Amino acid sequence: MQKIDTKTKILNAAEQLFAERGFADTSLRLITSQAEVNLASVNYHFGSKKELIQAVLARYLDVFAPALESSLQALVDDEKRVDQIQVFNCLIEPLLALDSFKHQGTTVFLSLLGRGYVESQGHLRWYIMTHYGKVVGLFNHVVREANPHLSKEEIFWRLHFTLGSVVFTMASSKALIDIAKADFGADVDIEGLIHRVIPFIAAGVSSPAK
Amino acid sequence: MQKIDTKTKILNAAEQLFAERGFADTSLRLITSQAEVNLASVNYHFGSKKELIQAVLARYLDVFAPALESSLQALVDDEKRVDQIQVFNCLIEPLLALDSFKHQGTTVFLSLLGRGYVESQGHLRWYIMTHYGKVVGLFNHVVREANPHLSKEEIFWRLHFTLGSVVFTMASSKALIDIAKADFGADVDIEGLIHRVIPFIAAGVSSPAK
DNA sequence: CCTATCATTAAACAAACGTTTAAAATATAA
DNA sequence: TTATATTTTAAACGTTTGTTTAATGATAGG
């Protein structure tokens, strides 16, 4: 049994509560009591609640962004022509890898991403663009190559529709999975959900322009 | 110039702030100062903040739900076989009608819907099902008729993916439209956005089951 | 061992929160 | 007009919020 330091205990408790209840509805006292650390240690180690939120997100993005980048880079290096399915596969693997990085990591990461987008009034978008702008640009480039029939603008919107499908579903995944179990008796995990959403968004992104 | 009563002034201010900043990040003091009414009048007229949130949503749902219901009912009465495009058309008109019901009504309604889904920990879903369960059931029935090749479970998830695309985009529509204008010089309004998302979600919902 | 740095703790801080109160003001009805 | 009911108001309520303080504990280097 290894000893977990205070900083990590805070991050672990915070990410779970943030994903489940959102940032505004999660108090530092709730976090520190679940983490079994002192209240003041959050400000000592992270400075403020806002910086704690960024640290929680950064812990995932620092794993996810490089994995996605190398995955995308390998695609553009190896393939002469890329299609949309290949682009999505680049996303799936780094996403599912988060589940071995942390328990329920994929769900937590996508929930945090969704909540960050709708709760932070654009702060998160700015944070991601300034810290991980390179991989975002690469992703955009690859999607453009895979969909030469679509304009930049059309791709911009369809990627946001895609992001909406994924993060909205993930942000409510706990409740939705419970409903699905009650109504259909079907057990769905996060991997099943991702493989369910792929045909949906692949068809949407690659649909002909109107 | 007509005089607006306190109750309406509160609802107008609240819906705008709720849509822009979310429920938890909007205080009653912010609402009442923008509405230029006394702080205590919220509790006097609505009882509590939670009931105010429900009232804000109810004002839209009481217009939207009957319009959608009659639209769907006309479809099942007139047509022998319905397809997915027709089902979406039933949604579009009542949605856009909210823009003449109130200024920016469509955006506000969809933002509120999205925020309610992810912020209220299931309270809103319960509220909608108990108060507007009839039209929800009818909608589900029509979608099933339009997609006989899909199982109940598959439809359940794809409708949530659809909802995610729409409400997530709408919840961030203000920022997204600004970005799109800066990057592409393109002016997009809410109607243009809806007509842009239709091909996306139509292709997604009607895509073959894996 | 002593000291200096880092970490943890209990307590208090000011500010903001939703809500309640009781009196004043306004509107309604007889 | 008088009496009754409704609405508005300023003030205060008790909690909860994020943050700070100052004292204590722990750890490592000389």
Side-chain angles (χ1 to χ4, degrees):
Chain A
M1 159 171 175
Q2 61 184 358
K3 185 158 167 269
I4 306 174
D5 66 353
T6 302
K7 217 168 168 176
T8 307
K9 284 200 276 188
I10 294 173
L11 286 172
N12 288 343
E15 71 167 33
Q16 187 211 320
L17 291 166
F18 284 155
E20 281 180 8
R21 314 163 39 98
F23 303 118
D25 273 332
T26 302
S27 69
L28 295 185
R29 282 170 177 80
L30 189 60
I31 293 171
T32 52
S33 73
Q34 170 137 338
E36 294 180 306
V37 300
N38 188 272
L39 167 64
S41 55
V42 172
N43 295 81
Y44 177 80
H45 285 287
F46 298 96
S48 65
K49 184 181 181 180
K50 181 180 256 175
E51 288 167 287
L52 170 63
I53 295 174
Q54 288 181 352
V56 167
L57 280 157
R59 192 160 64 144
Y60 279 96
L61 286 168
D62 288 343
V63 173
F64 176 72
L68 176 61
E69 183 171 344
S70 67
S71 192
L72 290 170
Q73 195 60 53
L75 186 67
V76 296
D77 289 345
D78 294 356
E79 305 290 333
K80 197 101 186 177
R81 301 179 48 162
V82 295
D83 61 23
Q84 191 54 41
I85 298 294
Q86 291 173 304
V87 179
F88 276 128
N89 284 337
C90 289
L91 276 170
I92 296 171
E93 289 170 25
L95 274 179
L96 290 179
L98 297 176
D99 247 14
S100 54
F101 164 64
K102 272 209 52 108
H103 177 59
Q104 295 215 107
T106 308
T107 312
V108 169
F109 173 63
L110 291 173
S111 298
L112 292 173
L113 207 61
R115 296 207 180 270
Y117 253 74
V118 299
E119 269 195 59
S120 67
Q121 300 151 213
H123 298 159
L124 174 71
R125 193 179 291 111
W126 177 88
Y127 179 80
I128 290 181
M129 286 308 278
T130 54
H131 288 78
Y132 310 93
K134 189 182 172 191
V135 64
V136 175
L138 179 59
F139 183 75
N140 248 297
H141 171 74
V142 176
V143 173
R144 283 210 64 193
E145 280 203 346
N147 297 279
H149 63 296
L150 296 178
S151 67
K152 267 198 219 175
E153 199 185 346
E154 194 69 52
I155 288 178
F156 170 81
W157 287 111
R158 292 191 180 187
L159 285 184
H160 273 93
F161 300 152
T162 300
L163 190 60
S165 288
V166 175
V167 301
F168 177 86
T169 306
M170 298 311 159
S172 341
S173 64
K174 201 163 188 173
L176 290 180
I177 286 177
D178 286 348
I179 294 173
K181 185 181 290 185
D183 286 9
F184 317 112
D187 240 322
V188 188
D189 60 356
I190 192 67
E191 184 164 358
L193 207 50
I194 288 185
H195 282 105
R196 215 178 259 279
V197 79
I198 294 297
F200 182 90
I201 57 182
V205 171
S206 299
S207 68
K210 64 157 185 173
Chain B
M1 161 174 175
Q2 60 183 0
K3 186 161 167 262
I4 306 174
D5 67 354
T6 302
K7 218 168 167 176
T8 307
K9 284 199 277 188
I10 294 173
L11 287 173
N12 288 343
E15 72 167 32
Q16 187 210 321
L17 291 167
F18 284 155
E20 282 180 8
R21 315 162 40 96
F23 303 118
D25 273 332
T26 302
S27 69
L28 295 185
R29 282 169 176 82
L30 188 61
I31 294 171
T32 52
S33 73
Q34 170 139 337
E36 294 180 305
V37 300
N38 189 273
L39 167 63
S41 54
V42 171
N43 294 71
Y44 176 79
H45 284 288
F46 297 96
S48 66
K49 185 181 181 180
K50 181 180 256 177
E51 288 167 288
L52 170 63
I53 294 174
Q54 289 180 352
V56 167
L57 280 157
R59 193 160 64 144
Y60 278 96
L61 286 168
D62 288 343
V63 173
F64 176 73
L68 176 60
E69 182 170 345
S70 68
S71 191
L72 289 170
Q73 195 59 54
L75 186 67
V76 297
D77 289 346
D78 294 356
E79 305 292 330
K80 198 99 186 177
R81 302 177 48 162
V82 296
D83 63 22
Q84 190 55 41
I85 300 293
Q86 291 173 306
V87 179
F88 276 129
N89 283 338
C90 289
L91 275 170
I92 296 171
E93 289 170 25
L95 274 179
L96 289 179
L98 297 177
D99 247 14
S100 54
F101 165 64
K102 273 210 54 121
H103 177 60
Q104 295 213 108
T106 308
T107 312
V108 169
F109 172 63
L110 290 173
S111 297
L112 293 173
L113 206 61
R115 295 206 180 272
Y117 254 74
V118 299
E119 267 195 59
S120 67
Q121 300 151 213
H123 298 158
L124 174 72
R125 191 178 293 111
W126 177 88
Y127 178 80
I128 290 181
M129 286 307 280
T130 54
H131 287 78
Y132 310 92
K134 189 182 171 191
V135 64
V136 175
L138 179 58
F139 182 75
N140 249 296
H141 172 73
V142 177
V143 173
R144 284 210 63 191
E145 279 203 346
N147 297 279
H149 62 296
L150 297 177
S151 67
K152 267 198 219 177
E153 199 184 348
E154 194 69 52
I155 288 178
F156 170 82
W157 287 111
R158 292 191 180 187
L159 286 183
H160 273 94
F161 301 152
T162 299
L163 189 62
S165 287
V166 176
V167 301
F168 176 85
T169 306
M170 298 311 158
S172 339
S173 65
K174 203 165 187 172
L176 290 180
I177 285 177
D178 287 347
I179 294 173
K181 186 182 289 186
D183 286 8
F184 317 112
D187 239 323
V188 188
D189 60 356
I190 192 67
E191 184 164 359
L193 207 50
I194 288 185
H195 282 105
R196 215 179 259 279
V197 78
I198 293 297
F200 183 91
I201 56 181
V205 170
S206 298
S207 67
K210 64 158 186 176

